[in-house]
Amino acid sequence: AYIEESRQIAAEIGEDQLMLLPLFIATWWLVDRDPAAAVKSLEEVIALARKQAAIDVEGHATIFRAVALARLGEFDAARADIAKALEIAPRAGSPVKEADIHIGASDAFYEMGEIEKGLEHARIGADMAYNAKGFECACSGHVHVGKGQFEKRQIDEALSQFAKSLKIAGQVGSPAFAGYVNQIKANAARA
């Protein structure tokens, strides 16, 4: 409903940018529920981001499309989107936004079974976000490092990353972040 409301408001006042963020957020969640639908929706987000010169959103949407494509087994297309997103990353406007793209790349590589490449990007993203004081993203980055180490059966290292992520989560201080803290704890319990 909020997507349609955003679309109507954007059309009424002639401002496409009002549509960009709601569409991106809805599509981001769609990647987990319906990757095929997400690929199509993310194409719309990418086109709109380019039109609005929203380089950060274009990079995020491109990396999430890579994750969706990887989940669908379309590895060549996923790799192409990873390359595009990583090319965009340094122009995304901040180290935290660049870190997010690396963290997303780790997801895509993990989906393709390329654990080492995923770990490389998860580490880059975690370090970059932490150094920029982007604690929410650093939290996510360390979870992604832990996930990769878990896949390699490096359980002690994975547990260490999940613990580091929980410690950083304490620096976030946002009640809205509590749901993500539960995901961190679930990954630690799994390990």
Side-chain angles (χ1 to χ4, degrees):
Y2 66 90
I3 298 274
E4 267 316 303
E5 184 178 349
S6 296
R7 195 181 305 272
Q8 287 173 348
I9 292 170
E12 285 173 19
I13 64 171
E15 187 58 60
D16 285 344
Q17 192 167 4
L18 292 176
M19 190 58 218
L20 189 58
L21 190 58
L23 184 60
F24 171 67
I25 295 298
T27 303
W28 179 26
W29 290 327
L30 189 59
V31 170
D32 287 334
R33 292 189 317 272
D34 186 350
V39 168
K40 183 176 167 109
S41 294
L42 282 162
E43 289 171 10
E44 183 180 352
V45 173
I46 292 165
L48 188 55
R50 284 184 185 141
K51 183 178 175 185
Q52 297 296 323
I55 295 169
D56 58 333
V57 176
E58 180 184 354
H60 280 95
T62 302
I63 203 61
F64 280 107
R65 185 173 63 182
V67 172
L69 288 164
R71 288 181 181 171
L72 295 168
E74 297 181 30
F75 293 173
D76 289 340
R79 283 186 189 92
D81 271 359
I82 292 168
K84 285 178 201 168
L86 291 174
E87 182 182 310
I88 292 168
R91 298 178 288 124
S94 79
V96 174
K97 292 174 182 180
E98 184 174 353
D100 281 344
I101 293 171
H102 280 282
I103 294 165
S106 74
D107 258 344
F109 282 121
Y110 291 159
E111 290 292 337
M112 295 187 290
E114 298 178 29
I115 306 305
E116 281 301 322
K117 283 185 180 180
L119 271 166
E120 175 187 344
H121 287 282
R123 286 182 180 117
I124 290 169
D127 291 344
M128 191 177 286
Y130 188 81
N131 291 337
K133 297 186 182 357
F135 297 126
E136 292 96 337
C137 298
C139 237
S140 177
H142 286 289
V143 167
H144 282 75
V145 174
K147 285 180 179 181
Q149 290 171 322
F150 180 81
E151 288 299 317
K152 292 183 70 172
R153 298 299 182 242
Q154 297 171 342
I155 304 304
D156 289 339
E157 292 89 341
L159 287 168
S160 174
Q161 288 297 313
F162 297 140
K164 185 180 278 190
S165 185
L166 283 170
K167 183 177 179 183
I168 294 169
Q171 295 174 277
V172 173
S174 167
F177 204 61
Y180 192 69
V181 169
N182 288 334
Q183 289 182 28
I184 300 167
K185 291 177 180 178
N187 277 289
R190 181 174 176 228

